[in-house]
Amino acid sequence: FKNCGQSTFPLIKCIGSREMLEAFDEKLKALEGIKTTIIKDPISREFYITLITHINADKGKALKKFKELYSLSHPIITGGDDNNDIPLLKAGDIRIAMDGAPEALQNLAHIIAPPAERMGIIQGLEEAMRRPG
């Protein structure tokens, strides 16, 4: 990426079977300056997506910086449904994982919300807002 005339990139997504993306991910590990995460395709459960980002791109770091910049002191609710949301959940005060999310994400959560197709995030947010802060 250093030779493409651009010093940063926001996100690259590759879609395919889990097996294909795992093989591709092994090749990507040889590249410096990137990190990858394989997640389930939210639209078609037969496919997966490899997310390729800059090594410093991190939802958790972004939230921490946001909290610092705006001097936020009240509890922050974070939510997610796949492994790429782990840093974000770790940075939150009240953590929501969607039912069906990977075990690693659910283990970080205070609340397990019903699946997205049942608008579970709304129920998760309502429960989070009822919690003492």
Side-chain angles (χ1 to χ4, degrees):
F1 296 103
K2 293 177 183 175
N3 298 327
C4 68
Q6 183 174 325
S7 61
T8 62
F9 62 95
L11 173 68
I12 298 170
K13 293 183 180 183
C14 302
I15 300 172
S17 69
R18 183 176 187 98
E19 296 77 25
M20 181 188 80
L21 293 179
E22 285 174 346
F24 182 52
D25 194 61
E26 283 301 313
K27 293 178 181 180
L28 290 172
K29 288 180 181 177
L31 298 175
E32 289 184 33
I34 66 166
K35 68 178 176 180
T36 62
T37 306
I38 298 174
I39 65 170
K40 291 181 264 180
D41 183 327
I43 297 170
S44 174
R45 293 300 178 167
E46 67 184 86
F47 292 109
Y48 286 78
I49 300 171
T50 294
L51 304 174
I52 306 167
T53 59
H54 188 277
I55 193 96
N56 294 327
D58 183 300
K59 293 177 183 182
K61 288 179 187 174
L63 177 57
K64 288 176 186 175
K65 185 67 173 175
F66 183 83
K67 287 169 66 173
E68 178 186 309
L69 284 171
Y70 294 97
S71 302
L72 300 179
S73 59
H74 56 279
I76 301 294
I77 300 168
T78 55
D81 64 353
D82 219 322
N83 288 325
N84 64 316
D85 297 314
I86 288 173
L88 178 65
L89 255 65
K90 286 181 177 179
D93 301 307
I94 302 172
R95 307 168 184 159
I96 304 169
M98 304 307 293
D99 186 31
E103 186 176 339
L105 190 74
Q106 288 193 21
N107 288 340
L108 293 171
H110 301 113
I111 299 166
I112 305 298
E117 52 273 358
R118 289 187 18 222
M119 303 272 298
I121 193 62
I122 302 301
Q123 293 173 49
L125 287 169
E126 288 172 343
E127 183 177 336
M129 290 186 289
R130 287 191 298 268
R131 289 182 175 233

